[in-house]
Amino acid sequence: MFYLVGLGLCDEKDITLRGLEVVKSATRVYLEAYTSILMVNKDRLEEFYGRELILADRDMVETESDAILAGSDSADVALLVVGDPFGATTHADILLRARALNIPFRIIHNASIMNAVGACGLQLYNFGQTVSIPFWTETWKPDSWLARIVENMEKGMHTLVLLDIKVKEQNEENLARGRKIYEPPRYMSPQTAISQIISALLSSPSPLMSPATTLAVTLSRVGGTAQKILSGSLEELAALGEADFGDPLHSMVIVGSRLHPMEIDYAGEFAVGEGWRKVARDVHGVVGEEGV
Amino acid sequence: MFYLVGLGLCDEKDITLRGLEVVKSATRVYLEAYTSILMVNKDRLEEFYGRELILADRDMVETESDAILAGSDSADVALLVVGDPFGATTHADILLRARALNIPFRIIHNASIMNAVGACGLQLYNFGQTVSIPFWTETWKPDSWLARIVENMEKGMHTLVLLDIKVKEQNEENLARGRKIYEPPRYMSPQTAISQIISALLSSPSPLMSPATTLAVTLSRVGGTAQKILSGSLEELAALGEADFGDPLHSMVIVGSRLHPMEIDYAGEFAVGEGWRKVARDVHGVVGEEGV
């Protein structure tokens, strides 16, 4: 059997008991390298699980899936991934390959940002499609994600915004010389994301969004003891410093107009200024349960 | 500290290691009665966790939250809920109450249908708002959920459809006599849901939906060993018998037009007939990666 095991959000204790059983009994256990975005490293996971893990980067999962799957028709093999296994299309790919090879497989689900975003108090059932914002460069500033946010806004829905992560990037010199030397990982901060959103709105304005009248919530290190959530207008959040958000991983929500008073109150606790309740009241016509 | 602990989708082994630590060490542990929708009962959970659990029905969580929270400013108290704690607004309520009482709290996240629905191969980032379909009666046939599905369809997004669960319902006689005798729990089947969707479409037609041209995926017992997923047109799925879906819990997805070839292929494995690939090709203009 081939097992795809979700590790959850933060550290070694977020695995489920069922997942841990698989890790302990499988003949080979691969750890997807994106797992570097967990708050712990491979050594700590190996020590905690009491076994060796084989590091598999995203390339390997995509291009060498047959090597990972080898032998799993007769013995148990596991691939551990951060969050839930269905967070990335790569994992549907390896399962399609397993099917083609007649290898039975099972998914061990876990929390992912797609459901843990509920921690900010905005109701999960009112989220529309999810977007990812990539790091802009001097010459490459894609903004197709903005149209998706606006589509959600047109229907009053919230948007979960995933912020770019760059791991195993080579600088131009190393790339040109074919040297497999990688830059340190980079994680987009909410500040960078908000500044890209505000720039994108300047090139592609929407009557439904502006820095002063669009509400957002930032979520940092969701599920961990150092979790931090902040809410306010884009303008207010843009005025904060990096230190206000702290270490990665970050994500954010652009808030839709179909707000419930309880959402105002719950996320209002994280407000960095007056903007949260002011915009909710003046723009969306919604006040909290205490009437403010 | 007050802990809200997600139990995940299926049984006692879906709790995380962090969640289990809390269960073992807390002074009191409440089990939300909706937990009857887990595939195991309270006795089995108590035996597995090695401790007594206090049953708390939804009413108690809503109206007696102070009793549940009592003492959690100085000792650890836990409330166990199915799935992830942010699946129900009730849980935001008890956390708002904890805040008002200055009680520190922490959430232990887990998988829920909101992210595990990815198991059907449709991409999570392309889901719009979620709807719940309630059981219709002879005289009460609400269909406001249809407008929400159509809103998602207008933007090409998929819709997760949660099917009604009736627990602790009294029949008319017991209700009239004030006897706390409850009917057996009822879980909506995909058949009932589809027949309500088709009826609702007759009263409120949409050019974007019809039994023959709307694709759906049903998911039963997600995450368990008896998980079953079926895909096809509404018409095809409506023609199946209850036995084809098997025991509860069920949920379903109404498929949007913005389909990726990999979604066609992955969910195509669950197709009950020709409808899945035919509608994808003829209505949405999308074929799988092999060109069919």
Side-chain angles (χ1 to χ4, degrees):
Chain A
M1 179 85 81
F2 175 65
Y3 288 92
L4 203 44
V5 180
L7 293 181
L9 295 160
C10 291
D11 67 26
E12 68 276 15
K13 291 185 181 173
D14 286 331
I15 196 169
T16 66
L17 300 184
R18 186 182 309 287
L20 187 63
E21 278 184 0
V22 170
V23 168
K24 290 201 178 284
S25 66
T27 54
R28 293 196 313 282
V29 181
Y30 293 89
L31 175 67
E32 196 181 63
Y34 253 43
T35 307
S36 59
I37 66 177
L38 271 191
M39 293 165 198
V40 293
N41 60 29
K42 174 171 173 271
D43 294 345
R44 178 140 156 217
L45 289 176
E46 285 185 324
E47 190 184 330
F48 187 82
Y49 298 150
R51 67 167 300 154
E52 186 202 358
L53 303 174
I54 307 162
L55 213 59
D57 61 26
R58 189 59 66 97
D59 267 2
M60 181 179 176
V61 176
E62 280 175 19
T63 61
E64 297 171 47
S65 54
D66 282 13
I68 294 175
L69 293 168
S72 54
D73 48 346
S74 55
D76 289 345
V77 173
L79 172 61
L80 313 185
V81 305
V82 173
D84 184 72
F86 284 100
T89 49
T90 313
H91 305 139
D93 245 350
I94 198 170
L95 295 178
L96 279 168
R97 186 66 192 146
R99 257 192 212 156
L101 297 171
N102 280 317
I103 291 170
F105 61 81
R106 184 158 180 212
I107 312 301
I108 314 285
H109 290 286
N110 209 321
S112 64
I113 188 65
M114 307 296 279
N115 67 343
V117 65
C120 73
L122 295 171
Q123 295 302 322
L124 284 176
Y125 60 75
N126 198 24
F127 277 71
Q129 57 198 334
T130 299
V131 303
S132 297
I133 301 194
F135 275 115
W136 281 357
T137 66
E138 279 303 306
T139 52
W140 189 73
K141 301 186 193 295
D143 67 356
S144 59
W145 42 266
L146 182 64
R148 299 291 175 104
I149 297 175
V150 170
E151 285 182 338
N152 286 340
M153 299 292 272
E154 284 168 11
K155 304 296 187 188
M157 302 179 212
H158 310 314
T159 308
L160 170 61
V161 180
L162 304 175
L163 310 190
D164 202 2
I165 298 166
K166 292 276 183 213
V167 293
K168 292 195 86 171
E169 294 282 303
Q170 290 161 284
N171 65 26
E172 284 184 18
E173 189 186 341
N174 287 325
L175 190 66
R177 294 177 183 234
R179 291 190 297 217
K180 293 200 169 177
I181 299 173
Y182 303 104
E183 301 300 298
R186 290 165 61 209
Y187 305 92
M188 187 183 284
S189 68
Q191 273 194 319
T192 302
I194 293 168
S195 101
Q196 291 190 188
I197 291 169
I198 292 175
S199 295
L201 278 170
L202 288 174
S203 349
S204 313
S206 159
L208 297 173
M209 292 181 73
S210 81
T213 62
T214 297
L215 295 178
V217 179
T218 66
L219 300 98
S220 303
R221 303 166 301 281
V222 173
T225 47
Q227 170 177 302
K228 187 163 187 184
I229 301 177
L230 297 173
S231 65
S233 66
L234 284 178
E235 191 172 67
E236 284 177 328
L237 293 166
L240 300 178
E242 297 275 339
D244 293 309
F245 304 103
D247 293 332
L249 217 61
H250 312 282
S251 49
M252 59 185 289
V253 179
I254 302 295
V255 180
S257 60
R258 208 179 267 161
L259 276 163
H260 186 280
M262 197 192 287
E263 294 180 284
I264 302 292
D265 288 335
Y266 199 98
E269 183 80 9
F270 310 123
V272 298
E274 302 298 313
W276 179 260
R277 286 183 189 272
K278 188 173 181 308
V279 173
R281 185 185 63 231
D282 299 347
V283 179
H284 304 307
V286 187
V287 296
E289 303 205 319
E290 305 291 327
V292 286
Chain B
M1 180 85 81
F2 175 65
Y3 289 92
L4 203 43
V5 180
L7 293 181
L9 295 161
C10 290
D11 67 25
E12 69 275 15
K13 290 187 180 171
D14 286 331
I15 197 170
T16 65
L17 300 184
R18 185 182 310 286
L20 186 64
E21 277 183 1
V22 170
V23 168
K24 290 201 177 285
S25 66
T27 54
R28 294 197 312 284
V29 181
Y30 294 90
L31 175 67
E32 196 181 63
Y34 253 45
T35 308
S36 60
I37 65 177
L38 270 190
M39 293 164 198
V40 293
N41 59 27
K42 174 170 173 273
D43 294 345
R44 177 139 157 219
L45 289 176
E46 285 185 324
E47 191 185 328
F48 187 81
Y49 298 151
R51 68 166 299 154
E52 187 202 357
L53 304 175
I54 307 162
L55 213 58
D57 61 26
R58 187 60 65 98
D59 268 1
M60 180 179 176
V61 176
E62 280 175 21
T63 61
E64 298 171 45
S65 54
D66 283 12
I68 294 175
L69 293 168
S72 55
D73 48 347
S74 56
D76 290 345
V77 173
L79 172 61
L80 313 185
V81 304
V82 172
D84 183 71
F86 284 100
T89 49
T90 312
H91 305 137
D93 246 350
I94 198 169
L95 296 177
L96 278 168
R97 187 65 193 146
R99 257 193 213 156
L101 297 170
N102 279 317
I103 291 170
F105 61 82
R106 184 158 179 212
I107 312 303
I108 314 284
H109 291 286
N110 209 321
S112 65
I113 188 64
M114 306 297 278
N115 68 343
V117 63
C120 72
L122 294 171
Q123 295 302 322
L124 285 176
Y125 60 74
N126 197 25
F127 277 71
Q129 58 198 334
T130 298
V131 304
S132 297
I133 301 193
F135 275 115
W136 279 357
T137 67
E138 279 302 306
T139 54
W140 189 72
K141 301 187 193 296
D143 67 356
S144 59
W145 41 267
L146 182 64
R148 298 292 173 104
I149 296 174
V150 171
E151 285 182 339
N152 286 339
M153 299 293 272
E154 285 168 11
K155 304 298 186 187
M157 301 180 214
H158 310 315
T159 308
L160 170 61
V161 180
L162 303 176
L163 309 191
D164 203 2
I165 297 166
K166 292 276 183 213
V167 294
K168 293 196 84 175
E169 294 283 303
Q170 290 162 285
N171 66 27
E172 285 184 19
E173 191 187 339
N174 287 325
L175 191 64
R177 294 177 184 238
R179 291 191 298 221
K180 295 201 167 177
I181 299 171
Y182 303 103
E183 300 299 297
R186 290 198 302 145
Y187 305 93
M188 187 182 284
S189 68
Q191 274 194 319
T192 302
I194 292 168
S195 103
Q196 290 190 191
I197 292 169
I198 292 175
S199 294
L201 278 171
L202 288 175
S203 348
S204 314
S206 160
L208 297 174
M209 291 181 74
S210 82
T213 62
T214 297
L215 295 178
V217 179
T218 66
L219 300 98
S220 302
R221 303 167 301 282
V222 173
T225 48
Q227 170 177 300
K228 188 163 185 184
I229 302 177
L230 297 173
S231 65
S233 66
L234 284 178
E235 189 172 69
E236 284 177 327
L237 293 166
L240 301 178
E242 296 274 340
D244 292 309
F245 304 103
D247 294 330
L249 220 63
H250 311 282
S251 50
M252 57 184 290
V253 180
I254 302 294
V255 179
S257 60
R258 209 178 265 162
L259 277 163
H260 186 279
M262 197 193 288
E263 294 179 283
I264 303 293
D265 288 334
Y266 199 98
E269 183 80 10
F270 310 123
V272 297
E274 302 297 313
W276 178 261
R277 286 184 189 271
K278 186 172 181 310
V279 173
R281 185 186 64 231
D282 298 346
V283 178
H284 304 306
V286 186
V287 296
E289 302 204 319
E290 304 290 325
V292 287

